[in-house]
Amino acid sequence: MTMTRTPQRVAEPPTTGLRPRRRTWGQALRRDWQLYSLAVLPLLFFLIFRYLPMIGNVIAFRRYEPGGDLLGEYWVGLRYFEMFLNDPTFWQVFANTVIIGGLTLLFCFPLPIVLALLLNEVRTRWLKGFVQTISYLPHFLSIVVIAGLIFQTLAVDGVVNQGLRALGQDPVAFMQDPAWFRTIYVSSEVWQTVGWGTILYLAALTTIDNDLYEQASIDGANRWRQTWHVTLPGIRPTMITLLILNIGTFLAVGFEKILLLYNPLTYSTGDVVATYLYRVGIVSGSFSYAAAIGLFESLIGLALVLGANTISRRTVGTSLW
């Protein structure tokens, strides 16, 4: 007669209910110092070229003269702020900045999403790659080259006016007409940035689970319904993040391109805060006045980012922080 021996259960130590102790920042730094060392150069870059120059904003409240004290000669308080707030030229420039920035955001933000959704539906790999390559190319062109192409295309004897003459129409001085400046600028921005803007959205589309599309198809959803109920919610965090960042640079419209395209005849619709600062601060030498305007613009940008982030967090539950 054989007897089976039942294994004895080892007693487990009593649980105290305490959570494991988290490592402090110093312990994490000593353990993974090789990884943290990779962030030294980027941090130094931001410290030297982004944060230290903020000290120069003090000349917005001080009288600064070239060759004098680096931080200004003496305090003048809010004098320069009162100057530009009472200057009608500044408000015209500010209105132009808001209009051009709003048009740029209106067209350049949703169009990359539309293009990414269309590319996501293309099943032919070579066609998809060809369209992506063609749409990416303008991003790598220099702004000077793009400005030259615009001038050559829209000149009085350019391709567009030659086509108008062939149709029996009179040539149009596009680059000298203030009514055409905003259209030309926004159109060139769309052509230059839409293709490159699809990269993040195409990357976000790859993270969506294909099972969601199969389940939606079983439930009877067509491609449009799948896009609306599966694809767009899947890339919503990316959309919200980029929208908040674009709102933050709402007033910082393209300084280089506008400086290359505009002229005194188009100041009424093309002069923006950045180009106005260049003429007033660099060309005319009114550094304190320009610093006050720049600080005012930065505060508005900060308020827009904080406001957009708060609204996004309360409405859709997605935010930068």
Side-chain angles (χ1 to χ4, degrees), residues 164-177:
L164 292 176
R165 289 193 186 95
L167 296 175
Q169 302 292 327
D170 295 330
V172 179
F174 292 101
M175 303 307 298
Q176 289 75 35
D177 189 352

Side-chain angles (χ1 to χ4, degrees), residues 23-92:
R23 295 199 309 268
T24 63
W25 187 85
Q27 293 173 343
L29 181 62
R30 285 192 297 269
R31 177 179 176 178
D32 302 319
W33 65 269
Q34 297 93 339
L35 296 177
Y36 286 104
S37 64
L38 299 176
V40 172
L41 290 180
L43 290 176
L44 287 177
F45 171 81
F46 281 101
L47 177 64
I48 296 174
F49 296 102
R50 292 294 185 268
Y51 288 98
L52 288 181
M54 290 183 183
I55 301 175
N57 286 323
V58 71
I59 67 174
F61 307 94
R62 298 174 63 90
R63 171 65 177 174
Y64 176 80
E65 297 179 357
D69 191 352
L70 185 62
L71 298 180
E73 303 297 332
Y74 53 88
W75 286 95
V76 296
L78 300 177
R79 173 188 174 186
Y80 296 110
F81 292 90
E82 295 174 354
M83 287 175 60
F84 75 76
L85 290 176
N86 296 322
D87 185 5
T89 303
F90 168 77
W91 290 113
Q92 179 185 359

Side-chain angles (χ1 to χ4, degrees), residues 172-246:
V172 179
F174 292 101
M175 303 307 298
Q176 289 75 35
D177 189 352
W180 281 100
F181 183 85
R182 293 168 183 167
T183 303
I184 295 171
Y185 175 81
V186 175
S187 301
S188 64
E189 279 291 299
V190 170
W191 175 69
Q192 185 181 5
T193 61
V194 165
W196 184 256
T198 61
I199 292 179
L200 292 177
Y201 296 112
L202 290 174
L205 288 171
T206 60
T207 62
I208 301 177
D209 191 357
N210 289 326
D211 293 339
L212 297 177
Y213 291 105
E214 295 178 1
Q215 295 174 5
S217 178
I218 294 173
D219 292 337
N222 54 21
R223 297 302 299 176
W224 168 252
R225 289 293 182 181
Q226 293 178 26
T227 301
W228 185 260
H229 294 288
V230 178
T231 306
L232 289 179
I235 64 174
R236 185 175 63 182
T238 303
M239 294 167 53
I240 296 300
T241 301
L242 293 179
L243 178 61
I244 295 174
L245 294 177
N246 288 335

